[in-house]
Amino acid sequence: MTQPPQPPNEPPQGGFGQPQEPPAGGFGAPTEPPPGGFGAPTEPPPGGFGAPTPPPQQPGYGYPQQPPGQPQYGYPQQPPGQPGYGQPQQPPGQPQYGYPQQGQPQYGYPQQPGQPFQPGPGGPGAPGGKKISTQARIIIAAVVAVVLIVGGGVYVASSGDDKKDEAKTSDGKGGDKDEKSLGGGDEKPPSNTKSKVAFQLPQPKVGDITDVSGSWITDKAYVKTGVNQIVGYDPDMGKQLWTIPLPGQVCAASRHTTEDDKTAVLFAASKPTAADKYVSCTEVGAVDLDAGKLLWTKSATGGNAGDDKASFNEVTLSGKTVAVGGTDGGAAWDLTSGDNLWKPEVNAEGCYDMGYGGGPGLVAARKCGSYDDPTVLIQNVNPADGAPISEFKMPAGVEYVSVVSTKPLVVAADVGDTAGDGSGISDFFSIDEKTGKLRAKIPVDADRYAGRCGSTEVEQCSKLAVGNDRIYVPTEEHEGTGDDYGQTNEIVSFDLATGKATTDRADAGERYAMYPLRMDGSNIIAYKWPPYDKGGQIVSIDGGSFKETLLMENPSEESVREAETSFSLDGAEVRYGGGRMYTSETLISEPSEYSKDRKEYLVVAFTTN
C-alpha cells in the first residue's frame, strides 16, 4: 500500500483536529455524490445504504418513490449441500444443521412451514401496484391465522429458559413480547436525546490510498489514527490532546481495549519511497489511550518469512495478549511487559495462523494444505502460549473465515463463494469453544440479511452483534408500509444453540435502516441510518423484551445530514458511548476530479452532553 511521507504532527489545512468553520452552503455540505473507492465514501445504488444525500433531481434514501419489482421475503431457500465435516454431529433430538427447519418465522413473522409468503395484488414489491388498505391487511391476517391453526398450529419458539415467546408486533418502536428485561447495560438515555455536532475533522491530504483504521472512546479522549500518527482529541470539542508519531503508516488496529484503556496497533517500519512504494507491516505496538504513549514496539521473524521480519495484516487483543496474524504466520506478545509469547511457525502440513479473534477469548483461524485445496481450522487457544484448547474443522469450500465472537464462539464463512454479494457470509457456525463441537450451522441468505465480514480478514465483521446466546442480524432494506414507499429494515436474531430463527424483531421505522453496533450488557446498541429529511439515531434494544429506547437523535438540518451520510458504513467505523457518537473513515485517498471541490471528513462527531 502506498503512503507518501507526511509530517507526523502538522495538522492539515483548516485546523485539523479543531472544530471547523462551516463552508459556504452549510456544515460540510457535499455538492456532488462521493467518489468511488474501497473504504472511502462510495456511490451506492440510489437510495442504498451508505449513500450520501443525493442531488435534488434524484430521490435519496427514504424518498417517496415507486418500488421496483423484487423477490418477496419468506420464499423457502434451497438448502446448501451437506459437506462431511468430520466433526461430532448435532446433539440427539436436534434437527440436522443445514436442512430447512419447520416453522421458522421469516423476519419475525410466523408462517406456514414450506409455504412462501404471497402478498396480494399490488402488495410490496409489485411493480405499479397500490398499497393494500389497513382493513384489507386485517382481513388477510385473520385468514392467514386461520390457515396456520388448521394447517399445523401457531408457530412458537422456545428460548433458552424454555419460556415461550410470542411473535412481536411491528409498530416502528420495537416489538412487545411477554418477557422481562435481561438486565440491560450501561448506556442510559440522557435528559435530552437531541444531539448537536460536537466537531468534525477534515480528511488529511494524501497521494494514494491510506489506511486510517482504528478509533476508540475512553473517559478522557476520542482517539483516532491518522497519517503516520495516532491522535487523541477532546471528546466534546475535538481539540488535540496528544499525538503519537509513527515511523510508517498504520496497517491495522485492535477493536478491543483493556479496562485501563490500552490497545494494540500494527504499522510499517518506515515510509514508502519513490523506488519502493510498498512497505510491509512488520511493527506491533502497544498504546496507552489515556496517556497518549506508545508503550513498546516489537517485530518477529520465522514462519513463511524465514529469517526476515514477518509481515502481518491483522492485530487483536485478548486480556493481556496482543496477537497478530497474516500469510507469514501468527505471533503474540504480553501487553504489559512486551515479552514474546510465540512466533510465526509453519508445520510439516503447511499450517499457519492467518489471524485471531480477540475479546473475552482468543481464537485462531488456521490454514493448512495447498493453495488449491486448503483446510481451515478454528482453534480456541490459550492466550498465554497459543496452545489449542479445542478445534473445529470448517467444511470443504471454505478458504477464509471471520470470527464474529469468541465467547460464545461464532464464525462466519462464505462456503463455496455462494453468498455472491461480497458480504463474506453464507453461513454462521456456532461452536462450543470448550469441545470444538458444532452447536448449529445457520444459513443466511445474502438477499435477505445485511451483515458483513471481510473477505480475507479474520476479525473484520460489522453490522452484527452476539449476546444472550443469540446472533443479531439486520435484514436487507425493503419497502415499508407507509404511503410514501420508503425503505426500511429490521434487526432479527438466531438462537446459537439450535440455529433457528427466534421471534426477536426490532423495526427500524419508516424510511430508516437499522444496524447493530455492539452489545451493551444484554442490550443491543444499534444505529439508525437516516432518511432524506431526518438525522440518524442511536437506540438501545432490550435483549429480553426487544423494546427500543432512543439514546440519541441527530440534527435534521440538510447540511448536517449530508455530513452524517457522507460515509459509507461498509467502510467506516461507528463508535457510540456516553452520549457521544463518532463516525470515521478507515481508508482515505487522493480526491478524484469528480469530488475535489466537496468537503470530505475523517471524523464527524455528535454529542448529547
Side-chain angles (χ1 to χ4, degrees):
M1 185 174 295
T2 306
Q3 299 101 10
Q6 295 288 333
N9 296 309
E10 184 179 37
Q13 186 175 4
F16 178 76
Q18 305 294 332
Q20 303 298 311
E21 186 69 23
F27 166 77
T31 58
E32 299 183 49
F38 174 75
T42 57
E43 184 181 9
F49 177 77
T53 303
Q57 65 268 21
Q58 63 183 116
Y61 176 81
Y63 193 86
Q65 52 186 301
Q66 188 70 13
Q70 56 184 346
Q72 296 301 311
Y73 303 129
Y75 281 93
Q77 305 299 316
Q78 181 69 23
Q82 301 304 309
Y85 299 135
Q87 298 297 320
Q89 299 300 308
Q90 191 79 1
Q94 299 293 334
Q96 295 299 311
Y97 53 80
Y99 284 92
Q101 303 301 319
Q102 296 297 310
Q104 287 198 25
Q106 302 299 327
Y107 295 95
Y109 287 113
Q111 295 188 12
Q112 178 73 2
Q115 296 296 322
F117 170 70
Q118 298 289 350
K130 296 181 179 180
K131 296 268 189 175
I132 59 177
S133 67
T134 301
Q135 182 178 6
R137 286 194 184 96
I138 294 173
I139 295 172
I140 292 173
V143 173
V144 171
V146 172
V147 172
L148 284 172
I149 295 172
V150 173
V154 177
Y155 173 84
V156 179
S158 177
S159 64
D161 57 2
D162 293 330
K163 292 181 179 179
K164 293 182 178 179
D165 300 333
E166 295 179 356
K168 293 183 279 294
T169 60
S170 174
D171 57 6
K173 299 179 181 179
D176 183 19
K177 68 181 178 182
D178 188 16
E179 183 175 320
K180 295 181 179 180
S181 168
L182 297 181
D186 297 328
E187 302 293 351
K188 307 299 180 185
S191 57
N192 182 6
T193 58
K194 298 288 186 181
S195 72
K196 62 180 180 179
V197 177
F199 60 89
Q200 71 275 4
L201 307 178
Q203 283 192 22
K205 304 300 181 182
V206 296
D208 205 342
I209 297 175
T210 303
D211 197 323
V212 287
S213 56
S215 55
W216 306 268
I217 303 174
T218 76
D219 291 338
K220 299 179 180 179
Y222 168 72
V223 183
K224 175 64 184 169
T225 57
V227 179
N228 305 320
Q229 62 182 354
I230 304 171
V231 185
Y233 301 93
D234 180 281
D236 291 311
M237 301 299 293
K239 178 182 178 181
Q240 286 193 21
L241 302 177
W242 48 260
T243 300
I244 301 174
L246 299 173
Q249 189 52 41
V250 171
C251 309
S254 172
R255 63 181 61 186
H256 308 289
T257 62
T258 61
E259 291 185 359
D260 57 351
D261 296 323
K262 293 181 176 61
T263 192
V265 295
L266 177 65
F267 54 93
S270 62
K271 300 177 180 65
T273 64
D276 186 6
K277 292 188 176 182
Y278 177 78
V279 180
S280 297
C281 295
T282 59
E283 310 305 302
V284 184
V287 181
D288 187 325
L289 297 171
D290 285 332
K293 293 181 179 179
L294 188 63
L295 301 176
W296 49 256
T297 300
K298 302 290 182 179
S299 61
T301 59
N304 290 321
D307 294 332
D308 296 329
K309 279 188 176 183
S311 178
F312 305 107
N313 52 30
E314 290 193 71
V315 59
T316 194
L317 179 68
S318 178
K320 297 294 184 180
T321 298
V322 177
V324 295
T327 55
D328 286 340
W333 292 266
D334 182 273
L335 177 68
T336 303
S337 64
D339 293 340
N340 182 247
L341 301 178
W342 65 86
K343 293 183 178 182
E345 292 183 357
V346 179
N347 64 14
E349 289 76 31
C351 298
Y352 64 93
D353 290 351
M354 296 185 291
Y356 303 89
L362 187 63
V363 173
R366 191 166 177 80
K367 181 174 281 190
C368 302
S370 65
Y371 177 83
D372 295 330
D373 187 24
T375 297
V376 176
L377 305 174
I378 300 300
Q379 294 181 335
N380 183 29
V381 302
N382 185 337
D385 57 11
I389 299 171
S390 66
E391 181 178 287
F392 173 76
K393 182 180 179 181
M394 296 297 293
V398 172
E399 297 184 31
Y400 298 97
V401 69
S402 296
V403 177
V404 184
S405 168
T406 56
K407 287 186 179 181
L409 178 51
V410 181
V411 301
D414 187 359
V415 181
D417 296 325
T418 56
D421 65 341
S423 66
I425 308 171
S426 67
D427 301 87
F428 295 114
F429 296 80
S430 172
I431 304 167
D432 188 310
E433 64 262 24
K434 295 180 181 179
T435 65
K437 294 180 179 179
L438 183 69
R439 301 178 66 200
K441 176 175 177 284
I442 307 171
V444 281
D445 186 343
D447 291 333
R448 294 162 54 199
Y449 301 103
R452 293 190 69 86
C453 291
S455 58
T456 60
E457 297 88 348
V458 172
E459 195 177 43
Q460 199 66 35
C461 294
S462 61
K463 304 178 187 175
L464 300 170
V466 175
N468 309 320
D469 209 32
R470 297 181 177 186
I471 183 166
Y472 299 99
V473 183
T475 67
E476 291 284 2
E477 297 170 21
H478 59 84
E479 181 192 344
T481 58
D483 294 334
D484 56 9
Y485 292 100
Q487 298 288 292
T488 188
N489 80 331
E490 301 80 32
I491 291 177
V492 296
S493 75
F494 294 90
D495 189 299
L496 294 178
T498 66
K500 292 182 178 180
T502 75
T503 56
D504 290 339
R505 174 192 171 104
D507 294 339
E510 288 300 320
R511 300 185 294 117
Y512 284 93
M514 181 163 58
Y515 300 90
L517 295 179
R518 62 176 175 86
M519 297 300 297
D520 174 35
S522 62
N523 294 344
I524 305 103
I525 302 298
Y527 175 50
K528 288 188 177 183
W529 183 262
Y532 72 97
D533 57 350
K534 296 181 180 180
Q537 296 179 353
I538 297 289
V539 297
S540 176
I541 305 171
D542 188 281
S545 66
F546 239 59
K547 291 182 178 179
E548 298 174 30
T549 300
L550 180 65
L551 300 178
M552 170 183 283
E553 184 171 13
N554 294 333
S556 60
E557 287 83 358
E558 181 179 3
S559 58
V560 179
R561 220 172 48 243
E562 289 177 344
E564 179 179 3
T565 58
S566 66
F567 299 86
S568 167
L569 293 190
D570 284 341
E573 294 171 333
V574 181
R575 303 286 184 257
Y576 175 83
R580 303 180 180 97
M581 170 186 164
Y582 306 89
T583 304
S584 67
E585 292 290 3
T586 55
L587 287 174
I588 58 176
S589 60
E590 183 179 12
S592 66
E593 188 70 22
Y594 180 71
S595 64
K596 64 180 181 179
D597 295 329
R598 72 182 296 268
K599 189 75 171 179
E600 294 185 330
Y601 299 95
L602 178 66
V603 179
V604 172
F606 298 91
T607 182
T608 57
N609 296 325

